[in-house]
Amino acid sequence: SLGFDSEGGMEVPTTGAVTGWFKGAPTPGELGPAIIVGHVDWEGKIAVFFKLKNLKKGDLVKVLRGDGKQVKYSVTRVLTVNKLKFPTELVYGDIDYAGLRLITCGGKSDSKLKRHVDNIIVFAKAVE
């Protein structure tokens, strides 16, 4: 689980091999937007969310929770947005269904800063 960093932003996983669930959001499968983040690359190698950008509307995503329960989601939207224009309310705001937000870096990169300037955000809705 992930919380907030010292600057008030959401923590990110400390390795490229795993994702993290934001503990300030609902648990996957509960009412509201569950938030899972992961890296697209790590130390020059592909990371756990490298292929996130390839998801399309209607694709199925399965989340295995810590308690062993699996929750299935259908992708409703994939958005690439500049980090400076991050749609906070759209991602974290209340919804009336069990939703999922998968977030990683991607899109454009800044070669001088050696970092991504965009985020890729996948929106999904739980399915039976």
Side-chain angles (χ1 to χ4, degrees):
S1 66
L2 303 170
F4 292 107
D5 63 23
S6 61
E7 296 177 6
M10 187 171 54
E11 292 176 320
V12 295
T14 57
T15 174
V18 299
T19 59
W21 161 70
F22 177 55
K23 63 185 175 186
T27 301
E30 292 181 341
L31 181 66
I35 313 290
I36 298 177
V37 298
H39 295 284
V40 67
D41 53 32
W42 185 262
E43 297 179 347
K45 298 182 178 136
I46 63 171
V48 66
F49 272 174
F50 182 76
K51 293 184 179 182
L52 198 68
K53 64 182 178 267
N54 298 332
L55 287 174
K56 296 178 187 78
K57 186 175 181 178
D59 284 347
L60 189 65
V61 175
K62 298 175 186 175
V63 175
L64 182 61
R65 296 170 19 139
D67 62 5
K69 180 182 175 186
Q70 185 181 71
V71 184
K72 295 178 186 175
Y73 295 89
S74 178
V75 173
T76 59
R77 181 179 185 186
V78 179
L79 179 66
T80 300
V81 61
N82 184 286
K83 290 180 181 184
L84 298 176
K85 297 179 181 175
F86 189 87
T88 302
E89 183 60 30
L90 186 61
V91 172
Y92 297 97
D94 290 338
I95 54 176
D96 63 356
Y97 58 89
L100 178 67
R101 309 296 189 246
L102 304 174
I103 305 170
T104 194
C105 293
K108 296 178 186 170
S109 296
D110 185 320
S111 58
K112 290 181 183 178
L113 296 175
K114 296 183 180 179
R115 67 177 187 91
H116 298 278
V117 297
D118 291 337
N119 280 123
I120 296 172
I121 308 165
V122 173
F123 297 80
K125 184 175 185 177
V127 294
E128 299 284 328

